[in-house]
Amino acid sequence: MTETFSIGSAATARGKFITFEGGEGVGKSTQIAHLSRRLDEAGVTHRVTREPGGTPFAEEARKILLDPIITPKTSFAQAMLFYAARSDHLDQLIRPELSRGHWVVCDRFADSTRAYQGAAGGVQWEVLDTFDALVIGATMPDLTILLDLDPKVGLARANERRAASSPGAFLRADTFEGRQLEFHQRLRDGFLEGARVHPHRVLVFDAFQNEIALAEQIWSQVALRFNLTK
Ligand code: TYD
């Protein structure tokens, strides 16, 4: 069902909400940049954002969450902070943009909490269902692009990226990158479980393939889903 918002006599169709998900080093940023370029070419006004982040409060929460020394010690406490940041992001950026008819493309969203704090961190699915109902409500993504990759490959890519961004210097892994491989395997299973439960919303793509081929696959699914001219 398409939500509409009336401003005077004009009704603006709600924009589409697309999220990108996946473990470490799967190439989300690169693929988001490709999709954003294709949306520009198709004349779709959109905003690219990220989680945790997107508002001043959520960016501060990001610094806390990603710092392995000061992040909350339990996955449950982390989940509450991710949801506080998400609530602010939804209120200040995502919902206002969607109601203007603009699209929003977000790097990570609720499926990340399910995978990281839920499947890998042990927070019960039902607790996260409650957070979703209270915080997200009807603003679930219209489409989620899950980039699936063997965590051994993803972690190696994330390490290369860290080394390249700060050559010669020691740059420590953030809170989640630094975990054991087994954590990342549970993470991958968690993402795939979410896709199994929500097959219409979540599309799974093989992130091991060539970057351009993957970008084409993603674009053709987005164009098909939302009737855009390719
Ligand atoms: P980021 O540097 O954006 O990681 P990536 O480049 O892999 O997307 O850091 C975000 C980190 O936060 C990432 O490790 C996943 C984690 N995260 C959670 O644990 N729960 C969440 O709900 C979200 C949104 C992110």
Side-chain angles (χ1 to χ4, degrees), residues 21-26 28-29 50-52 62 65-66 78 82-83 86 107-114 116-117 161 174-177 183:
E21 297 280 8
E24 310 293 328
V26 295
K28 286 183 286 89
S29 324
R50 68 173 179 182
E51 288 216 346
R62 177 185 181 89
L65 283 159
L66 296 195
Q78 286 172 356
F82 277 113
Y83 269 87
R86 182 160 300 141
D107 186 343
R108 298 194 180 282
F109 194 64
D111 296 292
S112 278
T113 324
R114 296 255 161 194
Y116 282 79
Q117 283 67 49
R161 186 179 59 190
D174 73 28
T175 306
F176 303 99
E177 284 169 340
F183 174 91

Short mmCIF file of all heavy atoms in Angstrom, two decimals, residues 21-26 28-29 50-52 62 65-66 78 82-83 86 107-114 116-117 161 174-177 183, ligand 1:
data_model
loop_
_atom_site.label_atom_id
_atom_site.label_comp_id
_atom_site.label_asym_id
_atom_site.label_seq_id
_atom_site.Cartn_x
_atom_site.Cartn_y
_atom_site.Cartn_z
N GLU A 21 22.52 -4.10 3.88
CA GLU A 21 22.95 -4.85 5.05
C GLU A 21 24.02 -5.87 4.67
O GLU A 21 24.16 -6.23 3.49
CB GLU A 21 21.75 -5.61 5.66
CG GLU A 21 20.64 -4.71 6.19
CD GLU A 21 20.93 -4.11 7.57
OE1 GLU A 21 22.08 -4.26 8.07
OE2 GLU A 21 20.02 -3.51 8.15
N GLY A 22 24.72 -6.35 5.69
CA GLY A 22 25.74 -7.39 5.47
C GLY A 22 26.82 -7.28 6.53
O GLY A 22 26.86 -6.30 7.28
N GLY A 23 27.69 -8.27 6.58
CA GLY A 23 28.76 -8.29 7.57
C GLY A 23 29.88 -7.32 7.21
O GLY A 23 29.72 -6.43 6.37
N GLU A 24 31.03 -7.51 7.85
CA GLU A 24 32.17 -6.60 7.64
C GLU A 24 32.78 -6.84 6.25
O GLU A 24 32.90 -7.99 5.82
CB GLU A 24 33.24 -6.84 8.71
CG GLU A 24 32.74 -6.85 10.14
CD GLU A 24 32.22 -5.50 10.63
OE1 GLU A 24 32.75 -4.47 10.18
OE2 GLU A 24 31.29 -5.49 11.45
N GLY A 25 33.13 -5.76 5.58
CA GLY A 25 33.89 -5.87 4.33
C GLY A 25 33.13 -6.44 3.15
O GLY A 25 33.73 -6.92 2.19
N VAL A 26 31.79 -6.35 3.16
CA VAL A 26 31.02 -6.91 2.04
C VAL A 26 30.89 -5.92 0.87
O VAL A 26 30.44 -6.29 -0.21
CB VAL A 26 29.60 -7.40 2.46
CG1 VAL A 26 29.69 -8.56 3.42
CG2 VAL A 26 28.76 -6.28 3.03
N LYS A 28 29.37 -2.60 1.09
CA LYS A 28 28.13 -1.81 1.08
C LYS A 28 28.35 -0.40 0.57
O LYS A 28 27.58 0.09 -0.25
CB LYS A 28 27.53 -1.73 2.49
CG LYS A 28 26.88 -3.03 2.94
CD LYS A 28 26.23 -2.88 4.32
CE LYS A 28 27.25 -2.84 5.41
NZ LYS A 28 27.80 -1.58 5.80
N SER A 29 29.39 0.27 1.08
CA SER A 29 29.59 1.68 0.68
C SER A 29 29.76 1.82 -0.82
O SER A 29 29.19 2.72 -1.44
CB SER A 29 30.82 2.28 1.35
OG SER A 29 30.97 1.80 2.63
N ARG A 50 23.37 6.72 7.08
CA ARG A 50 23.95 5.49 7.64
C ARG A 50 23.52 5.29 9.08
O ARG A 50 23.11 6.24 9.76
CB ARG A 50 25.47 5.57 7.59
CG ARG A 50 26.04 6.62 8.55
CD ARG A 50 27.54 6.55 8.62
NE ARG A 50 28.10 7.58 9.51
CZ ARG A 50 29.39 7.75 9.71
NH1 ARG A 50 30.27 7.00 9.06
NH2 ARG A 50 29.84 8.68 10.53
N GLU A 51 23.66 4.05 9.53
CA GLU A 51 23.44 3.75 10.95
C GLU A 51 24.63 2.98 11.50
O GLU A 51 25.19 2.14 10.79
CB GLU A 51 22.17 2.93 11.13
CG GLU A 51 20.94 3.78 10.89
CD GLU A 51 19.77 3.41 11.81
OE1 GLU A 51 19.81 2.35 12.45
OE2 GLU A 51 18.83 4.20 11.86
N PRO A 52 25.01 3.16 12.76
CA PRO A 52 24.47 4.24 13.56
C PRO A 52 24.96 5.58 13.01
O PRO A 52 26.09 5.68 12.57
CB PRO A 52 25.04 3.95 14.96
CG PRO A 52 26.26 3.12 14.74
CD PRO A 52 26.02 2.36 13.48
N ARG A 62 27.29 6.76 17.74
CA ARG A 62 28.17 5.92 16.91
C ARG A 62 29.58 5.85 17.50
O ARG A 62 30.18 4.80 17.58
CB ARG A 62 28.19 6.50 15.49
CG ARG A 62 29.12 5.77 14.54
CD ARG A 62 29.21 6.46 13.19
NE ARG A 62 30.09 5.71 12.33
CZ ARG A 62 29.71 4.71 11.55
NH1 ARG A 62 28.45 4.37 11.47
NH2 ARG A 62 30.58 4.03 10.84
N LEU A 65 29.52 3.62 20.48
CA LEU A 65 29.29 2.20 20.16
C LEU A 65 30.48 1.56 19.47
O LEU A 65 30.76 0.38 19.68
CB LEU A 65 28.04 2.08 19.28
CG LEU A 65 26.72 2.22 20.04
CD1 LEU A 65 25.57 2.59 19.11
CD2 LEU A 65 26.41 0.93 20.79
N LEU A 66 31.17 2.32 18.62
CA LEU A 66 32.27 1.72 17.85
C LEU A 66 33.60 1.75 18.59
O LEU A 66 34.57 1.16 18.12
CB LEU A 66 32.41 2.40 16.48
CG LEU A 66 31.22 2.26 15.54
CD1 LEU A 66 31.61 2.64 14.12
CD2 LEU A 66 30.67 0.84 15.55
N GLN A 78 23.91 -2.31 24.28
CA GLN A 78 24.25 -1.77 22.94
C GLN A 78 22.98 -1.61 22.11
O GLN A 78 22.77 -0.58 21.47
CB GLN A 78 25.19 -2.72 22.20
CG GLN A 78 26.62 -2.69 22.71
CD GLN A 78 27.46 -3.78 22.08
OE1 GLN A 78 26.99 -4.61 21.31
NE2 GLN A 78 28.74 -3.78 22.43
N PHE A 82 21.65 1.60 20.13
CA PHE A 82 21.39 1.61 18.68
C PHE A 82 19.95 2.08 18.40
O PHE A 82 19.71 2.82 17.46
CB PHE A 82 21.59 0.21 18.07
CG PHE A 82 23.03 -0.12 17.74
CD1 PHE A 82 23.73 -1.10 18.42
CD2 PHE A 82 23.70 0.57 16.72
CE1 PHE A 82 25.06 -1.41 18.11
CE2 PHE A 82 25.03 0.27 16.41
CZ PHE A 82 25.70 -0.72 17.11
N TYR A 83 19.00 1.62 19.25
CA TYR A 83 17.61 2.01 19.02
C TYR A 83 17.34 3.47 19.40
O TYR A 83 16.49 4.12 18.78
CB TYR A 83 16.63 1.04 19.69
CG TYR A 83 16.28 -0.06 18.71
CD1 TYR A 83 17.07 -1.19 18.59
CD2 TYR A 83 15.21 0.09 17.82
CE1 TYR A 83 16.80 -2.17 17.65
CE2 TYR A 83 14.93 -0.87 16.88
CZ TYR A 83 15.73 -2.00 16.79
OH TYR A 83 15.47 -2.95 15.83
N ARG A 86 18.55 5.20 16.45
CA ARG A 86 17.62 4.94 15.33
C ARG A 86 16.35 5.77 15.45
O ARG A 86 15.84 6.30 14.46
CB ARG A 86 17.29 3.43 15.32
CG ARG A 86 16.39 2.98 14.19
CD ARG A 86 16.51 1.48 13.99
NE ARG A 86 17.88 1.13 13.66
CZ ARG A 86 18.52 0.04 14.10
NH1 ARG A 86 17.88 -0.85 14.84
NH2 ARG A 86 19.77 -0.18 13.75
N ASP A 107 22.75 2.90 4.94
CA ASP A 107 23.79 1.90 5.15
C ASP A 107 23.58 1.31 6.55
O ASP A 107 23.88 1.97 7.53
CB ASP A 107 25.15 2.62 5.05
CG ASP A 107 26.33 1.68 5.11
OD1 ASP A 107 26.16 0.53 5.55
OD2 ASP A 107 27.43 2.12 4.73
N ARG A 108 23.00 0.14 6.61
CA ARG A 108 22.61 -0.59 7.82
C ARG A 108 21.35 -0.02 8.45
O ARG A 108 21.11 1.19 8.41
CB ARG A 108 23.71 -0.60 8.90
CG ARG A 108 24.99 -1.28 8.47
CD ARG A 108 25.89 -1.55 9.67
NE ARG A 108 27.12 -2.21 9.28
CZ ARG A 108 27.21 -3.50 9.00
NH1 ARG A 108 26.15 -4.26 9.08
NH2 ARG A 108 28.36 -4.04 8.64
N PHE A 109 20.57 -0.91 9.06
CA PHE A 109 19.36 -0.51 9.78
C PHE A 109 19.01 -1.66 10.73
O PHE A 109 19.92 -2.34 11.23
CB PHE A 109 18.23 -0.18 8.77
CG PHE A 109 17.05 0.54 9.34
CD1 PHE A 109 17.17 1.82 9.86
CD2 PHE A 109 15.79 -0.06 9.36
CE1 PHE A 109 16.06 2.49 10.40
CE2 PHE A 109 14.68 0.60 9.88
CZ PHE A 109 14.83 1.87 10.39
N ALA A 110 17.74 -1.92 10.95
CA ALA A 110 17.32 -2.86 12.00
C ALA A 110 17.85 -4.29 11.80
O ALA A 110 18.06 -5.01 12.77
CB ALA A 110 15.81 -2.88 12.09
N ASP A 111 18.05 -4.71 10.55
CA ASP A 111 18.56 -6.07 10.34
C ASP A 111 19.96 -6.23 10.93
O ASP A 111 20.36 -7.34 11.29
CB ASP A 111 18.55 -6.43 8.85
CG ASP A 111 17.14 -6.44 8.29
OD1 ASP A 111 16.36 -7.31 8.67
OD2 ASP A 111 16.82 -5.54 7.49
N SER A 112 20.71 -5.12 10.99
CA SER A 112 22.04 -5.19 11.63
C SER A 112 21.91 -5.48 13.11
O SER A 112 22.70 -6.24 13.68
CB SER A 112 22.82 -3.89 11.42
OG SER A 112 23.43 -3.87 10.16
N THR A 113 20.92 -4.86 13.77
CA THR A 113 20.75 -5.13 15.21
C THR A 113 20.36 -6.59 15.41
O THR A 113 20.81 -7.25 16.35
CB THR A 113 19.68 -4.20 15.82
OG1 THR A 113 19.77 -2.92 15.21
CG2 THR A 113 19.86 -4.07 17.32
N ARG A 114 19.49 -7.10 14.53
CA ARG A 114 19.09 -8.52 14.62
C ARG A 114 20.31 -9.43 14.51
O ARG A 114 20.42 -10.43 15.21
CB ARG A 114 18.17 -8.90 13.46
CG ARG A 114 16.88 -8.19 13.46
CD ARG A 114 15.76 -9.08 13.92
NE ARG A 114 14.69 -8.21 14.31
CZ ARG A 114 13.64 -8.59 15.01
NH1 ARG A 114 13.52 -9.83 15.41
NH2 ARG A 114 12.72 -7.73 15.31
N TYR A 116 23.82 -8.51 14.66
CA TYR A 116 24.94 -8.27 15.58
C TYR A 116 24.55 -8.49 17.04
O TYR A 116 25.22 -9.22 17.77
CB TYR A 116 25.49 -6.85 15.41
CG TYR A 116 26.39 -6.66 14.20
CD1 TYR A 116 25.84 -6.52 12.92
CD2 TYR A 116 27.77 -6.63 14.32
CE1 TYR A 116 26.65 -6.35 11.81
CE2 TYR A 116 28.59 -6.45 13.21
CZ TYR A 116 28.03 -6.30 11.96
OH TYR A 116 28.83 -6.14 10.86
N GLN A 117 23.49 -7.79 17.49
CA GLN A 117 23.14 -7.91 18.92
C GLN A 117 22.24 -9.13 19.16
O GLN A 117 22.23 -9.68 20.25
CB GLN A 117 22.43 -6.63 19.41
CG GLN A 117 23.37 -5.46 19.67
CD GLN A 117 24.02 -4.90 18.42
OE1 GLN A 117 23.33 -4.65 17.43
NE2 GLN A 117 25.34 -4.74 18.44
N ARG A 161 41.30 -2.64 4.12
CA ARG A 161 40.77 -1.27 4.07
C ARG A 161 41.35 -0.46 5.22
O ARG A 161 41.74 0.69 5.04
CB ARG A 161 39.24 -1.36 4.17
CG ARG A 161 38.51 -0.06 3.99
CD ARG A 161 37.01 -0.26 4.09
NE ARG A 161 36.61 -0.82 5.37
CZ ARG A 161 35.40 -1.27 5.65
NH1 ARG A 161 34.46 -1.26 4.74
NH2 ARG A 161 35.11 -1.75 6.84
N ASP A 174 37.34 -1.74 15.07
CA ASP A 174 36.30 -1.19 15.93
C ASP A 174 35.67 -2.32 16.75
O ASP A 174 36.06 -3.49 16.66
CB ASP A 174 35.29 -0.35 15.13
CG ASP A 174 34.37 -1.17 14.27
OD1 ASP A 174 34.09 -2.32 14.61
OD2 ASP A 174 33.91 -0.63 13.23
N THR A 175 34.67 -1.94 17.56
CA THR A 175 34.06 -2.89 18.50
C THR A 175 33.71 -4.23 17.86
O THR A 175 33.91 -5.28 18.45
CB THR A 175 32.74 -2.28 19.05
OG1 THR A 175 33.05 -1.01 19.59
CG2 THR A 175 32.13 -3.15 20.12
N PHE A 176 33.18 -4.18 16.63
CA PHE A 176 32.63 -5.40 16.05
C PHE A 176 33.61 -6.09 15.11
O PHE A 176 33.64 -7.32 15.03
CB PHE A 176 31.30 -5.09 15.36
CG PHE A 176 30.32 -4.46 16.32
CD1 PHE A 176 30.12 -3.09 16.34
CD2 PHE A 176 29.68 -5.25 17.26
CE1 PHE A 176 29.26 -2.51 17.27
CE2 PHE A 176 28.82 -4.68 18.20
CZ PHE A 176 28.61 -3.31 18.20
N GLU A 177 34.43 -5.30 14.39
CA GLU A 177 35.41 -5.91 13.48
C GLU A 177 36.36 -6.83 14.23
O GLU A 177 36.82 -7.83 13.70
CB GLU A 177 36.24 -4.81 12.78
CG GLU A 177 35.51 -4.08 11.68
CD GLU A 177 36.29 -2.84 11.21
OE1 GLU A 177 37.16 -2.35 11.95
OE2 GLU A 177 35.99 -2.38 10.11
N PHE A 183 32.00 -15.32 15.69
CA PHE A 183 31.01 -14.25 15.84
C PHE A 183 30.50 -13.83 14.46
O PHE A 183 29.30 -13.67 14.23
CB PHE A 183 31.67 -13.07 16.57
CG PHE A 183 30.82 -11.82 16.68
CD1 PHE A 183 29.99 -11.61 17.78
CD2 PHE A 183 30.87 -10.84 15.69
CE1 PHE A 183 29.22 -10.46 17.89
CE2 PHE A 183 30.10 -9.67 15.80
CZ PHE A 183 29.28 -9.49 16.90
P1 TYD B 1 30.72 0.75 10.14
O1 TYD B 1 32.09 1.32 10.18
O2 TYD B 1 29.65 1.52 9.48
O3 TYD B 1 30.82 -0.73 9.61
P2 TYD B 1 30.65 -1.25 8.13
O4 TYD B 1 31.62 -0.47 7.30
O5 TYD B 1 30.96 -2.70 8.26
O6 TYD B 1 29.20 -0.97 7.81
O7 TYD B 1 30.32 0.44 11.64
C1 TYD B 1 29.07 0.05 12.01
C2 TYD B 1 29.26 -1.11 12.98
O8 TYD B 1 28.14 -1.15 13.87
C3 TYD B 1 29.31 -2.43 12.26
O9 TYD B 1 30.32 -3.25 12.84
C4 TYD B 1 27.96 -3.05 12.57
C5 TYD B 1 27.58 -2.44 13.88
N1 TYD B 1 26.12 -2.33 14.10
C6 TYD B 1 25.54 -3.10 15.10
O10 TYD B 1 26.21 -3.87 15.78
N2 TYD B 1 24.19 -2.99 15.32
C7 TYD B 1 23.40 -2.12 14.61
O11 TYD B 1 22.17 -2.03 14.85
C8 TYD B 1 24.04 -1.33 13.58
C9 TYD B 1 23.22 -0.36 12.78
C10 TYD B 1 25.40 -1.46 13.37
#
